[in-house]
Amino acid sequence: MVKVTGLKKHTQRLKSAADVAREVTSALYSAGQEIELDAENSITQGSVSGAGHVPSLPGEPPNRDTGFLDTNIETTIETHNPPKVHVTSNAPYSAALEYGTSKMAERPFMRPATEKNRREVGRMVAQAVRVKIRRG
């Protein structure tokens, strides 16, 4: 007969790893929400919708007109290993605004929001791991 020792300890390690993964996923989602909010704010700040609408200058975020662009930015999560968070602009003209076209200069709003939050994302994930590991 074979005797298995340490099973309880290994089971606890696996549970702890799963808990860390959940905490990291939660931190990533929160960070994605921050990026989403910054992208939306960059579009809506100071903009005038309707008759008084003025297009943004090249290189600056687009100015809000109909509200379709800023209300179609969303944060989603894939909980696979490793967990991934996607902050996506689903308006059909998002890429044209973000990267420009042959007839229009770029008006980036997603890349600046991502860059603005890059360090904070790393800090949030590291904090989630530290807190979970300390708790055991």
Side-chain angles (χ1 to χ4, degrees):
M1 172 176 243
V2 176
K3 183 176 180 182
V4 178
T5 60
L7 185 59
K8 187 174 181 180
K9 186 176 182 179
H10 291 301
T11 302
Q12 183 58 33
R13 279 187 185 160
L14 288 173
K15 183 182 179 302
S16 180
D19 289 346
V20 170
R22 275 192 293 279
E23 289 294 323
V24 168
T25 300
S26 178
L28 283 171
Y29 185 77
S30 294
Q33 292 276 278
E34 289 295 319
I35 293 169
E36 177 183 341
L37 188 61
D38 280 341
E40 291 167 349
N41 285 339
S42 73
I43 296 166
T44 59
Q45 282 181 337
S47 63
V48 177
S49 298
H53 175 71
V54 177
S56 64
L57 297 173
E60 294 189 5
N63 282 337
R64 184 175 204 251
D65 186 15
T66 64
F68 188 75
L69 180 64
D70 57 289
T71 59
N72 276 283
I73 299 173
E74 68 177 1
T75 303
T76 57
I77 192 157
E78 289 180 25
T79 55
H80 305 294
N81 280 338
K84 295 178 187 175
V85 171
H86 300 277
V87 182
T88 315
S89 180
N90 296 313
Y93 48 85
S94 296
L97 287 169
E98 184 73 24
Y99 299 105
T101 67
S102 61
K103 297 181 181 184
M104 178 186 74
E106 65 181 30
R107 283 154 171 85
F109 58 101
M110 296 294 285
R111 290 176 292 161
T114 302
E115 281 305 313
K116 179 181 176 185
N117 288 281
R118 187 172 300 280
R119 280 198 176 131
E120 183 64 9
V121 170
R123 189 198 64 72
M124 290 172 80
V125 170
Q127 179 67 16
V129 171
R130 276 194 299 275
V131 166
K132 197 62 195 169
I133 287 174
R134 283 185 193 143
R135 285 186 201 156

